[in-house]
Amino acid sequence: MTRAAGVVGLWTVLSRILGFVRDMATASFLGAGPGADAFFVAFRIPNLLRRLFAEGALSAAFVPTFIETLQAKGKAEAMKVAGATITFAVIILALLTGLGIAFSPWVVKIIAPGFLGESAKFDLTVSLNRIMFPYILFISLVALASGVLNSFGHFGAPAAAPTILNITMITAVTGGTYFFGAPAHYALAWGVLAAGLLQLVLQIPFLVAYGIRIYPQWDWRLPELKQIGRLFVPAAFGGAVYQINVLLGTVLASLLPAGGVSWLYYADRLVELPLGVFAIALGTAVLPSMSRQAAQGDLTGLTHSVSFALRIIGFFTIPASVALIILRQPIVALLFQRGLFTVHDTLQTANALLWYTVGLWAFSGLKVVTQAFFSLKDTKTPVLISIIAVIVNVSGGLLLMGPMAQGGLALATSLAAAINLSLLFHLLTKRLGSFPTKEMLVSLGKTIAASGLMGVFLYFAVDFGRWEKGLNQHNLLILSTCISGGLAIFFLSTFILRSSELRSLLRLTTRR
């Protein structure tokens, strides 16, 4: 499981680095004005559907069913299930894409009601959304192909796919703007669409290499297909509460003055780095393992998988949270403050980043705990709990957006995630019968202590930078020193404290 998470995590690191380059280019060409707000809202819609259907519900419903069929009935029957699922998905997603394009103005009205008073921004958002909407069709097929490859133990190609999105968007915005004079927001939109197709093409050679042949299947009576359908609907909501809450934050942010949507977007992108590298990577790797344990009735093994995954996530996300909170302004300034992105935009983005980071531990833990329910073929419980989380998010956002603006919306999202994780974890431990709580508390205590020592160093070191100047040699040197010194202090502290997670990682990296 850790090796698989390592493969996914390494590709995710590369993807996030390229993602920051993409965001730097976007910030430079679009800034945080009305054009940027229009693009981010338009991009949020297919991106949300990707998280809901492709990476969330489809994977949660398909992977456990596919693995169960593969183990019980063999490869040939499993391929029939995959073929029927893809055939059905293409039909539904093509219909959804057509409806999304046709009714794009109504979709934008729902997602960004604050744009209705600005006709130019509203029309631009509708136009961009129509260009990018077919992305959901391509990326959902990528998710199904990735689920098949993950079930056979291959994680590289699926994990590499997001790098194509970033490379394509970087090429589109720079090449389209410099060489063809295209508006930056339109160049980015066409880049998103092209990236979806290229990510799907990437999976094909690896499917062939594993001898996987998937053909259209029209047998809708397959019991496995019906099981996927039963699991899919609740998983579509329960497995992506974070994204739903972020979307609701976007709806409320559209009511803020110009820039609110963009500041939330840039802050969310920074939180996505540790979330993607550690939580999503580990969640992707752990689902096949936990599904096999659940299919075999091995609840003890499943319990240890959940415990280990949560301890590893805490080992990385707790120090990442401390670092992001203390270094929020330097990171935003060096990454984005250039071109149309001003010092004011840096401070406003850093404010949103602070309150998103407060909930990073909950966003990360949710990925593992939700996957545990999915491996047990229980998608109803996450739905019921997520309803509570959505209510908390909307209520909190309405209460906090007045005094705290975009920071209040970010804090409401964090509070909703914390409540969601706490309730789900309580129900999961009751379901499993026992849980090594003491072991996890000891582990988290050591990680928190090491993160605290790192935080003291960062608190004093960060004052040596002149962050209002943005990217320059002096600031780059100070931030690099902060990051490298903080990492050294954290890992040295966990080594002295004899952290079991550090020992596990060291054994893995030194093994031939």
Side-chain angles (χ1 to χ4, degrees):
M1 185 174 67
T2 309
R3 283 194 295 271
V7 172
V8 178
L10 286 173
W11 276 109
T12 306
V13 168
L14 177 59
S15 174
R16 298 305 184 197
I17 292 172
L18 290 171
F20 284 139
V21 176
R22 181 192 89 192
D23 292 335
M24 290 163 66
T26 302
S28 180
F29 285 106
L30 289 182
D37 286 353
F39 172 75
F40 292 139
V41 168
F43 186 39
R44 176 74 72 188
I45 296 167
N47 212 31
L48 171 72
L49 292 175
R50 171 178 69 88
R51 296 290 177 89
L52 286 175
F53 298 136
E55 294 179 356
L58 266 182
S59 297
F62 174 73
V63 171
T65 305
F66 182 80
I67 288 178
E68 184 180 49
T69 307
L70 188 65
Q71 290 185 333
K73 299 181 180 180
K75 185 175 179 180
E77 290 298 316
M79 290 303 105
K80 289 183 181 179
V81 173
T85 305
I86 289 176
T87 303
F88 189 71
V90 168
I91 295 172
I92 296 297
L93 290 167
L95 178 62
L96 177 65
T97 299
L99 291 174
I101 293 173
F103 293 97
S104 185
W106 287 269
V107 174
V108 175
K109 286 179 183 178
I110 295 171
I111 300 300
F115 289 6
L116 291 174
E118 304 174 63
S119 59
K121 183 192 284 190
F122 179 84
D123 292 340
L124 177 60
T125 306
V126 171
S127 179
L128 295 173
N129 181 57
R130 282 175 165 158
I131 294 171
M132 291 185 284
F133 215 97
Y135 176 73
I136 183 58
L137 172 62
F138 296 126
I139 205 64
S140 295
L141 296 178
V142 171
L144 288 172
S146 300
V148 173
L149 288 170
N150 289 349
S151 300
F152 282 91
H154 180 84
F155 292 86
T163 62
I164 294 179
L165 173 66
N166 294 320
I167 292 172
T168 306
M169 291 181 69
I170 293 168
T171 304
V173 71
T174 54
T177 303
Y178 279 127
F179 298 110
F180 300 102
H185 35 259
Y186 279 108
L188 285 166
W190 285 109
V192 169
L193 183 60
L197 178 60
L198 292 174
Q199 288 179 85
L200 179 59
V201 170
L202 172 67
Q203 310 304 312
I204 295 175
F206 295 93
L207 291 170
V208 173
Y210 276 82
I212 299 169
R213 303 291 186 268
I214 301 175
Y215 301 100
Q217 296 285 337
W218 302 96
D219 187 1
W220 309 122
R221 296 170 297 179
L222 284 174
E224 293 85 0
L225 188 61
K226 294 178 181 178
Q227 177 174 294
I228 291 172
R230 287 195 301 270
L231 295 173
F232 174 82
V233 175
F237 190 72
V241 173
Y242 171 63
Q243 293 304 318
I244 293 173
N245 284 331
V246 170
L247 177 63
L248 291 173
T250 302
V251 173
L252 297 177
S254 71
L255 304 173
L256 295 174
V261 172
S262 300
W263 298 327
L264 281 171
Y265 171 83
Y266 290 121
D268 178 51
R269 290 288 299 160
L270 288 168
V271 173
E272 287 280 346
L273 175 62
L275 189 61
V277 172
F278 306 125
I280 295 178
L282 195 56
T284 301
V286 80
L287 180 58
S289 298
M290 292 196 300
S291 296
R292 279 188 286 269
Q293 290 166 335
Q296 296 165 0
D298 182 12
L299 291 185
T300 301
L302 178 58
T303 300
H304 286 294
S305 292
V306 172
S307 173
F308 179 73
L310 289 175
R311 287 187 285 113
I312 286 290
I313 280 181
F315 183 79
F316 287 110
T317 57
I318 291 173
S321 298
V322 172
L324 276 176
I325 289 172
I326 297 175
L327 302 177
R328 59 189 185 278
Q329 183 184 349
I331 291 173
V332 174
L334 267 63
L335 285 176
F336 303 136
Q337 190 176 303
R338 63 184 56 80
L340 297 178
F341 199 94
T342 65
V343 176
H344 176 69
D345 295 324
T346 294
L347 296 175
Q348 296 299 324
T349 302
N351 179 42
L353 177 59
L354 167 64
W355 298 112
Y356 270 144
T357 306
V358 166
L360 179 58
W361 62 275
F363 303 143
S364 303
L366 268 175
K367 186 66 178 177
V368 171
V369 174
T370 304
Q371 297 288 59
F373 280 100
F374 291 161
S375 69
L376 294 166
K377 300 189 183 67
D378 178 4
T379 55
K380 294 181 180 179
T381 300
V383 169
L384 296 175
I385 300 303
S386 64
I387 292 172
I388 299 173
V390 170
I391 294 172
V392 170
N393 184 44
V394 175
S395 303
L398 290 171
L399 289 172
L400 297 172
M401 66 183 292
M404 298 177 63
Q406 72 278 2
L409 297 178
L411 176 57
T413 303
S414 295
L415 291 174
I419 292 173
N420 194 10
L421 175 61
S422 300
L423 293 175
L424 279 179
F425 180 73
H426 172 70
L427 294 175
L428 179 63
T429 52
K430 288 183 64 176
R431 178 82 172 267
L432 295 175
S434 63
F435 195 83
T437 305
K438 181 179 178 181
E439 181 184 22
M440 193 166 75
L441 290 176
V442 170
S443 169
L444 292 177
K446 293 179 179 179
T447 301
I448 291 171
S451 300
L453 292 173
M454 178 195 72
V456 172
F457 164 76
L458 295 178
Y459 180 80
F460 290 102
V462 73
D463 286 339
F464 288 94
R466 296 188 290 272
W467 309 115
E468 71 282 355
K469 301 293 185 182
L471 178 62
N472 57 41
Q473 289 185 345
H474 173 79
N475 284 346
L476 182 60
L477 176 62
I478 297 300
L479 184 58
S480 301
T481 303
C482 287
I483 293 174
S484 57
L487 284 171
I489 291 171
F490 174 75
F491 283 112
L492 179 61
S493 300
T494 54
F495 180 79
I496 294 173
L497 292 171
R498 302 180 62 82
S499 169
S500 60
E501 290 71 39
L502 180 63
R503 292 201 300 271
S504 296
L505 293 171
L506 289 175
R507 283 197 300 269
L508 182 68
T509 54
T510 55
R511 184 182 302 157
R512 289 180 61 87

